[in-house]
Amino acid sequence: MPLAHPWRDPDDDRPRLECGVFGVFSVEQASAVTALGLHALQHRGQEACGIASFDGQRFHYEKHMGHVGDAFAGADLVDRLPGASAIGHTRYSTAGGSFIRNVQPMFADLEAGGIALAHNGNLTNFLTLRERLVSEGAIFQSTSDSEVILHLIARSRKARVVDRFIDALAQIEGGYALVALTNKKLIGVRDPLGIRPLVLGELDGKPVLASETCALDMIGARFVRDIEHGEMVVCSDKGIQSMRPFPAAQARPCVFEYVYFARPDSVVNGRSVYQVRKRMGRRLFEEKPTPADVVVPVPDSGVPAALGYAQASGLAFEMGIIRNHYVGRTFIQPTQGVRELGVRMKHSPNRAVLEGKRVVLIDDSIVRGTTSLKIVRMVREAGATEVHLRSASPPIMYPDFYGIDMPDRDKLLAARHSLEEMASFLEVDSLGFLSVEGLYWAMDAGQRDAERPQFTDHYFTGDYPTRLLDREIAEGRNDLVERQLSFLVSA
């Protein structure tokens, strides 16, 4: 949603990406292949998942709350979701939007045939479009901005489905990657700035679309190329057609994919995520060194940066914190006292590594600081004599409106406090962040040009790459905010 969700888990300090998308065309056992692809994209959305398939005659689809492995593990999957083409979706949502009717792919029967749609990102004019469509008589079944796109496609007066799709795209704004399945085509679209990622692969000569290359690796597909910013690809029995439905624009991919969201084994926009994160750690040491005995990552996303920091500094790299991968959401615990122990459910101190040591603690980012504080206290309780916290990204100063669930600005630690105040709040001996220039260096992109930044980096700089229409209206019309919250609560 364009505005921050008010039901965000108070004990969860990580930013969350809304979803991952996947699609295959004309392959055997398409739904099973799609389930494997979604499994590789599970990190992009862990609350719900869905698959839609087409068997040449009709569409089939299933949506489930929970993980891909639980929802689509049955031996009868191909019988339940038959067909040679399929698309899938993994979804993250906050508590207020966690409903089965919001789970994707979404499906609609149009005059020209059925269409299933899966969407990664956010439309920054979603509320404006939704209000207009409702005033014109549209009936919505969900609170998802993806449904707006389906309504726009359905209302287009163009004859061909592809042209209807382009007609709808001309009306939406924001950051997004879309995959859609029609009776005869698999369609992929990346927003005009390429904020959200989408790649094209090939499996036995047949096209595959996915949010990340790790999903191609999972199914044994060959990476072909990134879908370019502002590009639409249409896959059919005639081959793959590339279209450019948007005016030319400079690419601005999301830099936070490299900081946190993408899997380290993925290649995003031609860059190895793992190598970029190691370079972030190397540059972090150059910018923020400190006398210490051991470098400890906050697992898992802090590991590559900690390796880079350790190698550059010559300090020992140790797994001083062990992550438990079999933990559900901590906010379901019945009392605040029990919830306070939630960090220990996810992370356990390795006393043999920490006791008596000056520790450099490396994390990928710091949002509100609540989780960081608990981890620092845990490390101290395990016997660390000093704790020096380092963030492998710059201070997060501004919220996101392109698909990342991130708190409003007044809840972001770096937006409200000086470096000294943050260090005091986090109870660390020292605190350091990678600079914006250092981040661009780690991306092998040189210095950030203020007039022509190469990436979407507004969380650090406040430089939003598109207009925020819903936000602009909401700031002047509190009734719009109230309506947004009311229909989300009632969903």
Side-chain angles (χ1 to χ4, degrees):
M1 305 301 299
L3 302 180
H5 292 296
W7 304 274
R8 185 180 177 86
D9 171 12
D11 296 317
D12 189 349
D13 192 35
R14 292 293 184 183
R16 293 285 188 256
L17 193 63
E18 297 271 340
C19 41
V21 296
F22 186 88
V24 293
F25 184 80
S26 192
V27 303
E28 292 185 6
Q29 301 183 327
S31 58
V33 173
T34 298
L36 286 172
L38 293 181
H39 183 74
L41 299 173
Q42 187 73 84
H43 61 290
R44 299 186 74 88
Q46 301 179 38
E47 289 196 5
C49 53
I51 293 176
S53 68
F54 183 67
D55 65 5
Q57 299 295 324
R58 59 188 295 261
F59 281 86
H60 309 264
Y61 54 94
E62 285 187 18
K63 304 177 184 181
H64 299 274
M65 306 305 297
H67 288 187
V68 176
D70 297 324
F72 298 112
D76 63 341
L77 176 59
V78 176
D79 295 327
R80 287 156 34 206
L81 296 168
S85 298
I87 64 171
H89 188 267
T90 62
R91 182 175 191 266
Y92 166 75
S93 169
T94 51
S98 245
F99 296 96
I100 194 68
R101 59 178 166 173
N102 281 342
V103 180
Q104 300 181 43
M106 293 193 167
F107 176 79
D109 269 316
L110 307 180
E111 183 180 359
I115 182 170
L117 177 73
H119 169 211
N120 168 28
N122 266 358
L123 307 186
T124 55
N125 63 337
F126 158 61
L127 292 178
T128 304
L129 289 172
R130 189 181 191 278
E131 283 200 332
R132 190 195 84 196
L133 289 165
V134 169
S135 71
E136 294 173 354
I139 299 174
F140 280 78
Q141 303 297 318
S142 75
T143 60
S144 169
D145 49 3
S146 306
E147 191 177 359
V148 163
I149 302 173
L150 282 180
H151 278 282
L152 293 174
I153 294 172
R155 286 168 176 259
S156 171
R157 297 184 179 275
K158 303 293 185 180
R160 299 191 311 148
V161 171
V162 170
D163 292 331
R164 288 187 172 207
F165 212 110
I166 293 172
D167 207 14
L169 294 174
Q171 301 175 67
I172 66 176
E173 301 175 11
Y176 53 85
L178 306 172
V179 294
L181 183 64
T182 73
N183 302 48
K184 297 180 180 180
K185 297 177 175 66
L186 173 69
I187 302 172
V189 186
R190 199 171 176 191
D191 66 77
L193 301 181
I195 297 174
R196 300 265 67 87
L198 188 65
V199 299
L200 173 67
E202 181 183 277
L203 179 64
D204 298 328
K206 304 301 182 181
V208 183
L209 295 171
S211 290
E212 293 184 38
T213 59
C214 63
L216 304 180
D217 298 335
M218 174 65 78
I219 64 169
R222 179 179 69 88
F223 170 74
V224 176
R225 63 179 179 87
D226 289 287
I227 302 301
E228 296 183 9
H229 64 289
E231 181 184 13
M232 169 190 281
V233 292
V234 180
C235 309
S236 69
D237 291 335
K238 299 178 181 179
I240 300 175
Q241 179 185 11
S242 174
M243 307 175 71
R244 297 284 181 170
F246 306 104
Q250 178 192 1
R252 293 278 302 272
C254 173
V255 78
F256 223 88
E257 291 283 348
Y258 302 92
V259 172
Y260 178 70
F261 290 125
R263 262 181 38 168
D265 54 330
S266 284
V267 176
V268 178
N269 301 306
R271 294 174 172 84
S272 162
V273 174
Y274 179 78
Q275 293 298 337
V276 167
R277 288 178 184 170
K278 281 190 68 177
R279 286 168 61 85
M280 289 176 184
R282 173 183 165 187
R283 182 61 177 255
L284 182 60
F285 167 72
E286 294 174 359
E287 294 183 354
K288 303 295 178 181
T290 185
D293 302 309
V294 63
V295 177
V296 171
V298 176
D300 287 325
S301 52
V303 171
L307 276 170
Y309 192 102
Q311 290 173 359
S313 65
L315 297 172
F317 170 90
E318 296 285 358
M319 295 302 293
I321 300 172
I322 308 302
R323 182 184 172 191
N324 181 359
H325 291 264
Y326 306 99
V327 178
R329 296 177 67 172
T330 59
F331 73 90
I332 65 174
Q333 301 300 330
T335 66
Q336 179 64 27
V338 175
R339 288 200 302 269
E340 289 294 331
L341 301 177
V343 69
R344 295 182 184 273
M345 294 173 60
K346 295 180 179 179
H347 299 100
S348 301
N350 187 352
R351 183 175 291 272
V353 167
L354 301 171
E355 192 167 22
K357 301 292 179 59
R358 298 172 297 171
V359 176
V360 181
L361 196 60
I362 307 290
D363 207 349
D364 58 86
S365 59
I366 299 173
V367 184
R368 291 180 302 167
T370 51
T371 297
S372 299
L373 174 59
K374 293 174 185 178
I375 290 176
V376 168
R377 287 175 174 173
M378 182 180 69
V379 170
R380 286 199 186 277
E381 290 170 6
T385 58
E386 296 178 12
V387 180
H388 302 273
L389 182 59
R390 296 292 182 268
S391 168
S393 69
I396 296 176
M397 302 284 288
Y398 301 90
D400 181 80
F401 301 95
Y402 303 104
I404 303 174
D405 179 21
M406 193 178 286
D408 281 335
R409 190 158 193 249
D410 61 358
K411 295 181 176 64
L412 296 171
L413 187 67
R416 298 180 291 115
H417 300 288
S418 67
L419 186 67
E420 293 75 18
E421 290 170 339
M422 286 190 283
S424 176
F425 171 81
L426 295 169
E427 300 178 4
V428 293
D429 294 279
S430 72
L431 174 66
F433 293 85
L434 183 67
S435 67
V436 173
E437 291 73 23
L439 177 61
Y440 271 74
W441 176 89
M443 298 289 295
D444 197 24
Q447 293 285 322
R448 181 188 191 275
D449 186 335
E451 295 183 0
R452 293 177 60 84
Q454 296 164 265
F455 296 92
T456 289
D457 59 12
H458 54 273
Y459 2 80
F460 311 126
T461 65
D463 181 7
Y464 291 94
T466 73
R467 69 171 185 169
L468 306 173
L469 181 60
D470 286 344
R471 185 71 174 184
E472 293 167 4
I473 294 174
E475 288 175 349
R477 282 175 52 197
N478 289 331
D479 64 311
L480 183 67
V481 179
E482 294 301 321
R483 282 201 296 280
Q484 179 204 19
L485 299 187
S486 65
F487 80 72
L488 284 173
V489 169
S490 62

